[in-house]
Amino acid sequence: MTDCLFCKMVAGEIQPDVVYENEQVLAFRDLNPQAPTHVLVIPKKHIATLNDLQGEDTALAGALFHAAKEVARIDNIAERGYRTVVNCNAEAGQTVFHLHLHVLGGRPMGWPPG
Ligand code: AMP
Ligand code: ZN
């Protein structure tokens, strides 16, 4: 997708603050962090929303969670705890339409989320 912010990061046209990367996924720090650790994990393949995840993408979805775990280890929040969030479409507050997993931690998290 030429007009997608996160695809531009995958293509190297925009350089985010990368925390972790492998063949399938890229993880980088959120520009507007909501917690001491706030990292976005994205598939390198363009998938607009969670609704667009196909059966063939299940391994990729697993790779997102595996990367989230690695991010927590890298930022040293794995043991104390952290949260992963996927916002899907308008009511959840999705603003960038390239699937991403938020990894939030480094402070206590409230429940239920807003
Ligand atoms: P969502 O609201 O779930 O779609 O999350 C999109 C996230 O992308 C927000 O937390 C933004 O702060 C973040 N974001 C937007 N632009 C950038 C950027 N250029 N680099 C890093 N994070 C960004
Ligand atoms: Zn994209």
Side-chain angles (χ1 to χ4, degrees):
M1 282 273 291
T2 50
D3 205 27
C4 169
L5 176 66
F6 290 172
C7 281
K8 285 180 180 160
M9 292 178 180
V10 172
E13 292 167 32
I14 296 172
Q15 270 96 39
D17 183 0
V18 173
V19 180
Y20 176 85
E21 182 174 12
N22 65 27
E23 225 172 69
Q24 293 173 295
V25 309
L26 181 67
F28 54 87
R29 299 202 185 275
D30 196 293
L31 201 58
N32 182 25
Q34 302 301 313
T37 288
H38 188 175
V39 171
L40 303 177
V41 184
I42 68 168
K44 290 189 172 178
K45 169 185 173 181
H46 181 86
I47 298 170
T49 80
L50 188 56
N51 289 340
D52 299 299
L53 194 77
Q54 304 298 312
E56 69 202 33
D57 299 320
T58 51
L60 185 53
L64 293 179
F65 277 101
H66 189 269
K69 181 200 79 167
E70 290 300 303
V71 166
R73 183 184 58 75
I74 289 163
D75 268 18
N76 208 25
I77 56 170
E79 297 311 318
R80 56 191 286 199
Y82 59 98
R83 181 171 291 170
T84 60
V85 174
V86 176
N87 295 323
C88 182
N89 278 340
E91 282 203 357
Q94 185 174 4
T95 58
V96 177
F97 287 84
H98 180 129
L99 180 63
H100 49 282
L101 190 70
H102 295 256
V103 182
L104 295 144
R107 65 165 172 81
M109 297 285 153
W111 191 265

